[in-house]
Amino acid sequence: MCGFAGLVRFDQKPINKDHLVQMTNAIKHRGPDGEGFWSGGNVGLGHRRLSIIDLSDAGIQPMECCDSRFVLAYNGEIYNYREIRKELMKLGYSFKSSTDSEVVLYSLIHWGESALNKFNGMFALALLDKKLNSLFLARDRYGIKPLYYAFQNNKLYFGSEQKAILANPEFNKKINKKGLLEYFTFQNFFSDQTLLEEIHLLESGTHKTINVRTGQFQTKLYWDYDFRSTNELADYREYCEELSRLFGQAVERQLVSDVEIGCYLSGGMDSGSITAIASQKLSHLKTFTCGFDMTSASGIELGFDERSRAEAISSYFSTEQYEMILKHGDMIRCMPRFSYHLEEPRVGQSYPNYYVAQLASKFVKVVFSGAGGDELFGGYPWRYYKGTDSNNFEDYIDNYYLYWQRLLSNSELKQLFSPIWNEVSDVWTRDTFKNVFKYTPELNPSPEEYINHSLYFEAKTFLHGLFVVEDKLSMSHGLETRVPFMDNDLVDFAMKCPAKFKMNPELFQRINENDIGNKKREYFQKTNDGKRILRDAMNKFLPKDVLSRAKQGFSAPDASWFAGDSNNFVRTAILGRDSPLNDIFDRNELIKLCEQHFRGDKNRRLLIWSLLNTSYYIKQTFQS
């Protein structure tokens, strides 16, 4: 697990090695255990290493093959690398190290782009072929590891984080106002845009091949989600048994490491299931939980603190439990460093993730996360039901698009963006939303097919956003996060698993709005039954009270803190006269929207967090 950066000059001038060093040093937090550089003519690669497998110097990157034709810079972990290594050795390849990096290198040399489909793990990589003058950039199936790139001034810049690109003094940075509109519509990016013009995030499951002489490139999606139910197994019980087997296999696969592994532990089923299996394989498993000071919380927030539930699971499996409690001042204290490492804002209020990663990094180098369980097995059923009664696919897009406008309505957006509206008015965020779907049905889908479309959408967008956040915040502390739910075999199974096994099948019917009473409300209230098959499959691992718990997100009681203890901080950062938001947004609309939250008229928690995050991002990127 590491980070890398690179540069190509299409004018064929030699690489400025000082610039390459600056780019690589900008991400040294990702790899505190070592650094390496390679340059040849108009191409340069830099690497920072976090040693997880084979801690010797044999794993130093950039890594050249035996005849020096190929050079690899790689970030990630391939959990089945030992099996692939044996296959390559039978084909005549020999290895100098026991790293997965060397296996990745020779896999790409032997199988080309098809090697990507052999990798079961998470990765971003850059492979230079000196003979063909080609640079191959690729990202894992699910987008667990990020890879940014930019074509500017007859150069290609790329790296594991944006800050690697920005560290090159020849790169000209400019805020992407159209990307800003996309973010404030969805509190996320559904395209490859970022908040910086010309910097893009390579899409998940995608590779790009660039001719380092001419600058011509080709982009290909080599893998994609496909949630289409099949009838390969006979009945529900067989599905449960197979899921249980695959889940145990996934956790065991990801235990490969030459350093100690820990586990995040909330109080729910996903992290609890991982803890259950890992604790059987590892003695004295360390688990990490983040809780909140709830003295000023109110309403639904009172249930946000899951420490007591996590402690019960820790006790049940005899883990070595570590906890921390966040107060309102902790957000204020961490914002400069948090914003620096997260870079542009993404989905959710994620500063608690920063703190729990910091806690875990004091004890381990690798930590397990339960991310992916909800998106694969329908853990947010109230979302997926939004389109089940649509009249046709366009109607479904309209319904689901409105639901995913997490921050502001279109009319509120237009007013807020009024000072720059003429620069973004050609952006149709509904089109951005619809473009996520790689295929659309010819006929009107069934309710279950609509749910599968929604599962696809959320895996491509919401889950991807969570991965980007988790990567940045864990790597800011030199910590590697692994996600067993994203094992290839487990994902393949989840995509084929019938939606009726994941969620309440009573909702898989079209709602007749002419029936007496509000049938939609009646049906949609039945949402506490997500991950049905996962709950049953984990029955052999977890206590019943854990399996029956309702889905709960990882969130601090910021709705109360923003209006109370943190109010002065929020007002200064967002509404202060020197706030950079004043140069973009309509100030009167900003005040109106924030005051709605402060007065308690509306819960604008997510919007205020997004405004805070954007304010810090702009200051650090353009004013520091």
Side-chain angles (χ1 to χ4, degrees):
M1 187 61 65
C2 317
F4 63 86
L7 181 65
V8 179
R9 295 191 62 120
F10 299 120
D11 58 9
Q12 307 308 310
K13 292 181 180 179
I15 293 296
N16 184 320
K17 292 184 180 179
D18 289 338
H19 290 176
L20 185 61
V21 170
Q22 287 175 270
M23 294 175 70
T24 308
N25 284 346
I27 54 172
K28 62 183 178 181
H29 52 275
R30 298 184 68 93
D33 297 331
E35 66 179 5
F37 301 94
W38 180 94
S39 62
N42 66 320
V43 182
L45 295 170
H47 190 268
R48 295 292 313 198
R49 186 184 185 198
L50 178 66
S51 303
I52 303 295
I53 297 173
D54 188 344
L55 310 185
S56 73
D57 289 344
I60 291 176
Q61 296 184 50
M63 182 178 287
E64 291 188 82
C65 67
C66 56
D67 65 1
S68 299
R69 172 180 169 178
F70 295 90
V71 188
L72 174 74
Y74 155 77
N75 166 34
E77 299 290 351
I78 305 301
Y79 305 116
N80 63 334
Y81 80 97
R82 288 172 177 160
E83 295 91 327
I84 299 174
R85 189 176 192 267
K86 291 178 181 177
E87 190 176 353
L88 287 167
M89 290 178 72
K90 290 179 180 178
L91 292 168
Y93 291 89
S94 59
F95 293 85
K96 298 179 181 179
S97 73
S98 57
T99 64
D100 61 334
S101 308
E102 196 174 9
V103 172
V104 169
L105 173 60
Y106 286 107
S107 295
L108 291 168
I109 291 172
H110 185 79
W111 290 295
E113 66 181 59
S114 62
L116 300 177
N117 285 310
K118 298 177 74 72
F119 298 155
N120 193 344
M122 52 184 179
F123 60 85
L125 59 88
L127 180 73
L128 176 67
D129 182 340
K130 302 176 192 176
K131 182 178 180 180
L132 296 182
N133 293 317
S134 69
L135 179 70
F136 183 76
L137 303 179
R139 200 161 166 231
D140 65 68
R141 294 182 175 191
Y142 319 114
I144 303 171
K145 294 283 104 183
L147 177 53
Y148 294 90
Y149 69 93
F151 290 95
Q152 187 187 89
N153 298 329
N154 210 21
K155 302 180 189 71
L156 168 64
Y157 308 79
F158 58 93
S160 297
E161 297 182 13
Q162 293 177 25
K163 57 179 64 67
I165 298 174
L166 297 178
N168 191 309
E170 293 183 336
F171 183 80
N172 300 314
K173 56 191 176 185
K174 183 178 180 181
I175 193 164
N176 180 6
K177 295 175 182 177
K178 294 181 179 180
L180 200 62
L181 180 64
E182 181 177 342
Y183 173 73
F184 274 91
T185 301
F186 305 118
Q187 205 200 25
N188 201 358
F189 292 89
F190 292 171
S191 68
D192 67 345
Q193 288 200 85
T194 70
L195 284 188
L196 291 172
E197 285 191 3
E198 299 181 284
I199 294 185
H200 298 268
L201 179 60
L202 186 66
E203 293 188 56
S204 59
T206 299
H207 61 72
K208 185 183 291 287
T209 304
I210 303 104
N211 185 307
V212 300
R213 294 295 178 188
T214 67
Q216 293 179 318
F217 65 88
Q218 292 181 328
T219 305
K220 180 180 178 181
L221 180 71
Y222 70 87
W223 186 90
D224 201 7
Y225 293 97
D226 186 4
F227 287 91
R228 299 186 190 183
S229 304
T230 66
N231 295 312
E232 292 184 0
L233 299 179
D235 56 25
Y236 182 74
R237 185 176 64 179
E238 281 191 67
Y239 273 94
C240 284
E241 291 175 354
E242 180 65 359
L243 175 53
S244 178
R245 183 188 72 82
L246 289 173
F247 182 78
Q249 174 181 277
V251 177
E252 288 191 45
R253 273 179 179 161
Q254 297 196 16
L255 288 172
V256 56
S257 174
D258 291 331
V259 297
E260 189 173 4
I261 298 176
C263 188
Y264 289 140
L265 183 58
S266 60
M269 178 176 60
D270 297 344
S271 63
S273 299
I274 296 170
T275 298
I277 295 173
S279 64
Q280 295 173 6
K281 306 296 179 180
L282 302 175
S283 59
H284 308 296
L285 176 69
K286 293 180 174 66
T287 50
F288 307 96
T289 301
C290 182
F292 307 100
D293 175 14
M294 309 304 291
T295 54
S296 58
S298 62
I300 193 173
E301 294 176 329
L302 295 173
F304 284 3
D305 189 14
E306 295 190 291
R307 278 176 295 153
S308 61
R309 296 175 178 178
E311 288 166 0
I313 296 176
S314 171
S315 177
Y316 190 86
F317 294 110
S318 300
T319 72
E320 190 175 316
Q321 171 77 347
Y322 294 89
E323 297 178 351
M324 69 184 308
I325 304 172
L326 296 184
K327 302 177 177 63
H328 72 90
D330 291 312
M331 178 197 70
I332 298 171
R333 276 186 288 274
C334 84
M335 279 303 292
R337 295 302 298 167
F338 166 86
S339 180
Y340 171 78
H341 284 294
L342 182 62
E343 302 182 315
E344 67 194 10
R346 282 271 171 175
V347 62
Q349 291 176 255
S350 46
Y351 72 88
N353 304 65
Y354 176 85
Y355 275 112
V356 74
Q358 183 183 66
L359 172 65
S361 70
K362 296 180 184 299
F363 300 94
V364 297
K365 270 193 172 184
V366 178
V367 67
F368 281 143
S369 164
D374 290 306
E375 291 76 16
L376 293 175
F377 293 99
Y380 309 104
W382 55 90
R383 294 182 187 169
Y384 306 130
Y385 299 156
K386 293 295 179 182
T388 55
D389 62 328
S390 299
N391 296 319
N392 51 58
F393 193 73
E394 289 298 321
D395 186 34
Y396 161 80
I397 292 294
D398 287 336
N399 291 333
Y400 216 42
Y401 166 71
L402 291 174
Y403 174 78
W404 276 102
Q405 289 185 288
R406 289 167 61 88
L407 301 181
L408 296 166
S409 66
N410 283 337
S411 59
E412 290 170 329
L413 279 166
K414 187 172 183 179
Q415 182 58 46
L416 182 65
F417 278 75
S418 58
I420 60 168
W421 188 250
N422 63 321
E423 300 177 63
V424 300
S425 59
D426 61 333
V427 176
W428 294 90
T429 53
R430 184 189 182 277
D431 290 345
T432 303
F433 183 93
K434 185 178 179 181
N435 288 340
V436 173
F437 298 90
K438 291 294 187 291
Y439 74 94
T440 57
E442 295 180 3
L443 301 174
N444 188 22
S446 67
E448 184 168 357
E449 288 173 318
Y450 278 128
I451 286 177
N452 280 331
H453 279 295
S454 298
L455 289 168
Y456 172 88
F457 175 84
E458 297 206 9
K460 292 287 285 188
T461 59
F462 186 75
L463 180 60
H464 175 254
L466 294 179
F467 286 149
V468 173
V469 168
E470 181 58 38
D471 172 82
K472 301 278 189 67
L473 299 186
S474 62
M475 293 305 291
S476 72
H477 302 293
L479 178 73
E480 174 185 306
T481 300
R482 297 182 177 181
V483 279
F485 276 103
M486 306 314 292
D487 173 86
N488 288 356
D489 293 336
L490 184 55
V491 172
D492 289 345
F493 171 86
M495 292 190 299
K496 295 176 182 177
C497 183
K500 65 182 179 181
F501 290 169
K502 299 175 182 179
M503 289 171 275
N504 184 356
E506 292 180 19
L507 285 141
F508 299 175
Q509 55 185 292
R510 298 200 185 279
I511 299 170
N512 184 353
E513 293 292 353
N514 295 321
D515 286 350
I516 298 173
N518 190 335
K519 295 299 181 183
K520 182 176 290 190
R521 179 180 299 172
E522 175 186 328
Y523 293 156
F524 285 3
Q525 282 179 340
K526 300 176 182 178
T527 59
N528 190 20
D529 60 352
K531 297 189 289 192
R532 180 172 160 237
I533 190 172
L534 189 60
R535 293 177 194 274
D536 290 341
M538 297 300 105
N539 190 38
K540 63 174 65 177
F541 303 124
L542 291 172
K544 289 184 178 180
D545 65 314
V546 177
L547 295 170
S548 62
R549 286 174 188 165
K551 167 62 188 170
Q552 178 174 307
F554 180 36
S555 182
D558 288 309
S560 294
W561 289 349
F562 288 160
D565 296 328
S566 303
N567 188 254
N568 288 336
F569 169 76
V570 170
R571 287 181 181 274
T572 300
I574 297 176
L575 304 177
R577 290 295 175 182
D578 61 345
S579 169
L581 302 182
N582 292 325
D583 298 328
I584 300 171
F585 297 136
D586 180 276
R587 179 170 170 78
N588 290 332
E589 185 69 7
L590 264 182
I591 294 172
K592 185 187 82 172
L593 293 168
C594 291
E595 289 297 339
Q596 288 175 348
H597 183 87
F598 300 152
R599 291 194 307 266
D601 297 342
K602 288 187 177 181
N603 186 345
R604 296 285 191 182
R605 170 179 65 95
L606 293 179
L607 173 63
I608 289 176
W609 168 253
S610 297
L611 290 167
L612 272 175
N613 220 338
T614 303
S615 177
Y616 269 86
Y617 173 76
I618 294 174
K619 278 185 179 180
Q620 293 190 334
T621 305
F622 295 97
Q623 299 177 8
S624 61

